[in-house]
């Protein structure tokens, strides 16, 4: 492999309105980062699908007017993606649903963190982090 195996890269952060119309932008950024890090086509597809599912679940549960922030980091052979927004309830994402099962299949690790929001007294700051290793078994 090329760049992905030699050194860590600086994180890339994208901030968009938490709206479904922004999903193509987020998928494109994830795809570009994975391709530049020399992930194979199957891994790139898994990353795009995982970003789409994570962000879709966050957008679906987002507080009106919320911002969705996605951060991508590549370190060696591993891409880490973080997505966060303020959600209406603390049950986003539904970790019992089919989408969550798909995410567990597409990624090597996935975690959820829920906290009170930073600037508002309503809702919850929900963060989902997943990793995908190039050539991994996920």
């Amino acid at each position: 492999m090329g760049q992905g195996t030699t050194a860590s890269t600086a994180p890339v952060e994208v901030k968009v309105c938490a709206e479904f119309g922004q999903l193509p932008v987020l998928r494109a950024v994830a795809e570009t980062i994975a391709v530049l890090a020399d992930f194979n086509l199957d891994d790139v597809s898994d990353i795009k699908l995982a970003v789409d599912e994570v962000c879709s679940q966050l957008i679906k549960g987002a507080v009106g007017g919320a911002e969705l922030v996605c951060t991508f980091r590549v370190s060696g052979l591993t891409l880490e993606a973080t997505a966060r927004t303020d959600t209406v309830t603390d049950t986003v994402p539904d970790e019992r649903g089919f989408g969550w099962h798909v995410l567990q299949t597409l990624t090597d690790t996935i975690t959820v963190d829920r906290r009170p929001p930073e600037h508002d007294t309503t809702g919850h700051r929900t963060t989902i982090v997943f990793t995908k290793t190039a050539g991994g078994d996920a």
Side-chain angles (χ1 to χ4, degrees), residues 68-79:
L68 176 62
V69 180
C70 294
T71 305
F72 303 94
R73 281 185 189 80
V74 176
S75 181
L77 298 174
T78 302
L79 180 140

Side-chain angles (χ1 to χ4, degrees), residues 27-44:
R27 283 192 304 265
V29 170
E31 177 181 33
T32 300
I33 290 167
V35 167
L36 291 174
D38 288 334
F39 281 74
N40 67 41
L41 292 179
D42 288 337
D43 291 338
V44 171

Side-chain angles (χ1 to χ4, degrees), residues 9-137:
T9 59
V12 174
E13 185 174 275
V14 180
K15 295 179 184 181
V16 296
C17 293
E19 299 173 353
F20 287 106
Q22 298 297 328
L23 287 173
V25 172
L26 299 170
R27 283 192 304 265
V29 170
E31 177 181 33
T32 300
I33 290 167
V35 167
L36 291 174
D38 288 334
F39 281 74
N40 67 41
L41 292 179
D42 288 337
D43 291 338
V44 171
S45 292
D46 288 352
I47 290 165
K48 284 174 45 181
L49 285 170
V51 166
D52 187 75
E53 182 62 26
V54 163
C55 292
S56 291
Q57 289 194 32
L58 288 174
I59 290 167
K60 185 170 88 174
V63 171
E67 183 176 73
L68 176 62
V69 180
C70 294
T71 305
F72 303 94
R73 281 185 189 80
V74 176
S75 181
L77 298 174
T78 302
L79 180 140
E80 178 186 83
T82 303
R84 74 175 184 273
T85 195
D86 291 334
T87 57
V88 176
T89 71
D90 65 353
T91 60
V92 174
D94 178 3
E95 294 180 51
R96 297 167 298 162
F98 179 73
W100 189 256
H101 176 70
V102 169
L103 283 169
Q104 290 177 312
T105 302
L106 294 172
T107 61
D108 295 316
T109 65
I110 187 160
T111 60
V112 179
D113 181 60
R114 297 174 185 94
R115 299 172 187 228
E118 293 178 3
H119 303 292
D120 194 316
T121 58
T122 62
H124 302 269
R125 171 62 48 102
T126 303
T127 303
I128 303 173
V129 179
F130 74 82
T131 62
K132 179 71 175 179
T133 300
D137 292 331

